Amino acid sequence: MVGAPTKKIDNNPNQTFGAAYIYDFNGSNWIQTQMITADETINRGWFGSSVVLQGNRALIGTYEFLHDEEFNGRAYVFDYSQDVWKQSTIITSNIHESDYLFGSSVGLSNDKVLIGAPGDDEHGNNSGAAYMYNLYSIGGNISGLDSRTQLELMNNNNSIYVNNNGDYIFNASLPNLSEYEFSIASQPTMPNQECIFAVSYTHLTLPTICSV
């Protein structure tokens, strides 16, 4: 994976959104297979200034994101599912100063994320800091589903299809203390069934199980 923080979208010189490129080795050459951009607009936020790839997960930093008229960096988690890289979550901090440079460096080890902020002043001028986050898998249990039907569950832009009762798990993960909300994208038919979540929206403090 290679970051391109000055990538201009649609060749517009005033729209510097940034990007990251995924390459796969086919045995003799490295072939570009996907260009990754954030789901939200990040004009001159330098998306792709820091990148790390491990297995089916990528972490991409942007250290100057403008939100509510304040600059603060963030990092984006992408997971590889169904032959495509999809954004699964955004990691933010309570830092609202662009010179803290939160997101200018990123690290990834399994379900642990490390994000650098070299301009952090908490322990002295430009003393710097690094922030550790845990990523939790989200899943649950389905009961009462007729064996002839299929249920589609959606979490943000990640969908899974379930045909049988039992445990399920989303491909994406979320950092601790983040908010999440599930929805049932399509109810099963033939026969018709109405499915509801026992719990569909809360803050994530532990590995979460939601029953349907």
Side-chain angles (χ1 to χ4, degrees):
M1 183 169 62
V2 180
T6 61
K7 168 67 177 176
K8 301 183 189 309
I9 305 301
D10 297 329
N11 298 316
N12 187 333
N14 297 318
Q15 298 291 316
T16 305
F17 291 160
Y21 295 87
I22 298 293
Y23 291 83
D24 289 318
F25 190 64
N26 65 4
S28 56
N29 297 296
W30 287 94
I31 306 299
Q32 180 187 320
T33 55
Q34 187 175 338
M35 181 183 76
I36 296 176
T37 57
D39 290 347
E40 58 189 354
T41 300
I42 313 173
N43 190 21
R44 300 190 183 278
W46 314 119
F47 176 88
S49 57
S50 56
V51 297
V52 63
L53 176 68
Q54 183 186 52
N56 290 332
R57 176 165 291 158
L59 182 64
I60 302 174
T62 173
Y63 60 83
E64 201 172 74
F65 180 82
L66 180 61
H67 178 67
D68 290 338
E69 299 184 355
E70 291 184 324
F71 286 101
N72 57 344
R74 51 183 57 192
Y76 298 78
V77 179
F78 288 80
D79 287 295
Y80 187 70
S81 174
Q82 299 177 341
D83 298 325
V84 66
W85 289 90
K86 297 179 180 179
Q87 180 180 311
S88 57
T89 192
I90 303 173
I91 300 176
T92 61
S93 78
N94 57 1
I95 299 173
H96 302 295
E97 299 289 341
S98 61
D99 56 0
Y100 274 30
L101 304 177
F102 179 88
S104 60
S105 60
V106 293
L108 179 62
S109 178
N110 298 321
D111 291 330
K112 295 187 180 297
V113 168
L114 190 66
I115 303 176
D120 191 301
D121 292 332
E122 183 174 353
H123 297 290
N125 187 37
N126 292 326
S127 57
Y131 294 80
M132 178 74 75
Y133 299 84
N134 291 319
L135 295 176
Y136 293 115
S137 297
I138 305 172
N141 181 271
I142 291 179
S143 60
L145 183 67
D146 190 282
S147 60
R148 294 167 293 173
T149 66
Q150 182 183 78
L151 177 67
E152 181 185 0
L153 303 177
M154 180 175 290
N155 177 43
N156 197 9
N157 61 346
N158 296 279
S159 292
I160 56 175
Y161 297 89
V162 182
N163 297 87
N164 301 296
N165 295 313
D167 294 333
Y168 67 90
I169 189 170
F170 283 93
N171 295 314
S173 298
L174 293 176
N176 49 303
L177 301 182
S178 62
E179 296 181 351
Y180 72 89
E181 182 174 6
F182 293 120
S183 64
I184 296 176
S186 61
Q187 295 281 1
T189 58
M190 299 180 63
N192 293 320
Q193 288 185 283
E194 182 179 359
C195 298
I196 60 173
F197 279 106
V199 178
S200 64
Y201 177 81
T202 187
H203 285 79
L204 184 65
T205 55
L206 292 172
T208 302
I209 297 297
C210 285
S211 298
V212 180

